[in-house]
Amino acid sequence: MRALSECNPIAAALFFLAVTLITMFTMNPVILGISFVCAVVFFCLISPKKGFKQHLLFLGLGLILALINPLVYHNGVTVLFVLNDNPVTLEALIYGIVASVKIIGTLYWFRSFSLIMTEDKLLYCLGSLSPKTAQVLSMALRYVPMFRDQIKKVHLAQKGIGLYKEDNMIDDVRGGLRVFSIIVTWALENGIITADSMAARGYGTGRRTYFSLFRFTKYDGLLVLITLVLSLVPAVLMILHHAEVVYYPVLQLPENTTGTLFIYICFTLLALLPEMLYLEDRISWKYYLSKM
Amino acid sequence: MEILSVENVSFSYAGSAEETLHDISFTVEKGTFVTLTGNTGSGKSTLLRMLKRELIPNGKKSGRVLFNGEDTEKLSDREAATGIGFVMQYPDHQIVTDKVWHELAFGLENLGYPKDIIRRRVSEMACYFGIEEWFEKPVTSLSGGQKQLLNLASVMVTQPEILLLDEPTAQLDPIAASDFIATLKKLNRELSLTIILVEHRLEEAIPACDKLLVLKEGQVLLYDTPEKTAAGLKEWPELLYDMPAAVRLYHAFDIKEAACPLTVREGRDFIEEHFKRDVLSLKKPAYQPESKTALELTDIMFRYEKTLPDVLNGLELKVNEGEIFCVLGGNGSGKSTALSVAAGLRKAYRGKIRVFGKDIREYKNRTLYQECLAMLPQDVQTLFLCNTVKEELEDAKAEKLSLPYDLTHLYERHPYDLSGGEQQLLGFAKVLAAKPRLILLDEPTKGLDPGSRRMIADILRSLKKEGKTILIVTHDVEFAAEIADRCAMFFRGEITSTGVPDDFFSENYFYTTSINRMTRGLYEKIVTLKDAEAILKENGERSW
């Protein structure tokens, strides 16, 4: 197997979708705890930088989120203390902490997602859904840096022949507007020639295919299969009210039925999947090096 | 076998009564490399577009074009798109997608090929054209030469039988241009691909091609092997400006028995065989520069970003008042950057710039750009902000200016619709409107036909007579040799040598004019065609 970053983007996207959806739709503290820990570990594994500031930011955010709930929500039977004539309850505090773990965990998954799913990979996923949209997006992605460069060039060129005659704001803004208006003309002009080039290369002569550099290997198939099994089984069981937690008015943890246990095991395996793939990749590389 | 035959094609643009093409007929054999040339307005680009159905401009067309014996109008969409490939002048305009690999695949995607075939063809093309190194890069990060190579490769993936190219090297520097022509020759030789190339810069293209077609006022003037076509141009001196230096030198004399030389080697043989070598050098007055300095750069250091390497590395440059100074150098050597730093558009992090003896930082409130210094950028289009030429001139307060040339016939046109040469002239007008004493020019001859180039040279000379100082950054060795008072070589962010053109170019071995390479060792310090003619006339023909 290969690390998640090397897998087919669709397989990788499916994994992220599965793990974040389950995380988002449950309030079970065990599942959320597992999700949070795995998300943090995975992010630390793949993040190129230490990301100390990032962790600090997330920690701060988590603390605030955890404390807001008991301060604004006063349901629950176990009163810890009274603040401004309002009871602060244990249940609301626990709920706040669990919700905060859930949100921060999800954010960590998103951070890993954005590290792994680069621009090309997202375009590839979009391309498999709608080739036309992906084509338009690919053209747009070229135009953005081109515009930026052209605007910069026009500004310098105009400055070089004294367009911005006086050194003041009004003159600068006026010049900026004129530059912008000519850039629009330039873009249209460019677009016409690009359209010619597209026609000359057979655009619109028939059904298009969408090409990309990514392949879908049997490992990707396996990954998709594992992801589906490990996410659909707990999802179905959760819909059948296993592993359900009640917070108000009294905290009620789920009974340890086989179903609940099964959910925990499946989800743990799912959330550990990227870490396992990553470590397997590292270990086989080390092993390979030692043989050289 | 004929792959293409053009039968009585005439064409007039929509809204124009005049015929741009007039009753043109010619055939192209399979596997030949045809170069098509002619002055501006001779209709060569229009003719090329007649051959590619999708690109025929609006207008009235008569006659027909046969591709493999079949009228191109009757080909299926697919056959028309794949059988005939087309590469245009501006590298940026033809690129459609954002990544190199995707651009290569674009044509095949359009034809609905399955992924496996696309993968195979794309990888094969990338290998053949040497694109592997930058295969996954975004297209915006490529150099002009790379972009044009990518355009060629992405047309070749659909395996066309004939390739049409409309001035593909006009926007490239000389090295990239000669690489590009070499690639075309390779395609022609190895795949027996039929090629029709429209080109101004013929120094490289003529030795590479099998047939040379010359258009004049919408009609075929000559169509034969390059030797015969070049030899037949005697009566049309205005067409000779396009030709390689060897051909022009040949036509300056009337030696009946000699074959027309095309390359530097043949030109050298021609000189050796037919001329005496009694006088070795021309007597010229030594160059006397003005004592005042117009622009002085001392120890300039510059980089674009903190983490990037230095682009200018202790640059020292001194331009005297009233002279034309040319800075030559390769691509990416930083010479354009040096110009924008000298113009105060970018700030050096170390060093001093003095403009007419005054520190550039003391020109407060942008007085630097008022009747002092102005710069013509490489891409002149960036100077235009209005919808017509007239507005453009009025806006710059240039309409009352006595320009050394006339633009009134273009007044109602949009600046973007002008030809490259006309755009350059309009750009010049805007620069001159700022009444600068020091003019900085970035590649003023890029993409221009020889006629416009001569016009620019004349303008620069007349500006010099008015006492203006001119600093030019250019790739164009021939242009610099002709116009400059002094030249300098730019390399890795600094000036490595300076001198008057005759000395400067004679001391260079590669980076010099074709005439100098032809006469090296035979005569001394001959750099331009004019000098070569003079010294050969002085020596006289050899009698056998």
Side-chain angles (χ1 to χ4, degrees), chain A residues 3-22:
Chain A
L4 202 61
S5 53
E6 304 302 315
C7 289
N8 185 287
I10 291 181
L14 186 75
F15 166 78
F16 281 111
L17 190 72
V19 80
T20 46
L21 274 183
I22 293 179

Side-chain angles (χ1 to χ4, degrees), chain B residues 231-261:
Chain B
L233 282 174
K234 180 129 250 169
E235 292 153 50
W236 294 279
E238 74 278 13
L239 285 167
L240 273 178
Y241 287 109
D242 287 359
M243 294 292 144
V247 175
R248 294 171 63 186
L249 191 68
Y250 169 81
H251 282 295
F253 298 92
D254 202 15
I255 300 173
K256 292 259 159 20
E257 69 276 15
C260 182

Side-chain angles (χ1 to χ4, degrees), chain B residues 168-184:
Chain B
T169 67
Q171 305 299 319
L172 308 185
D173 64 280
I175 293 168
S178 111
D179 283 350
F180 190 83
I181 300 280
T183 309
L184 289 181

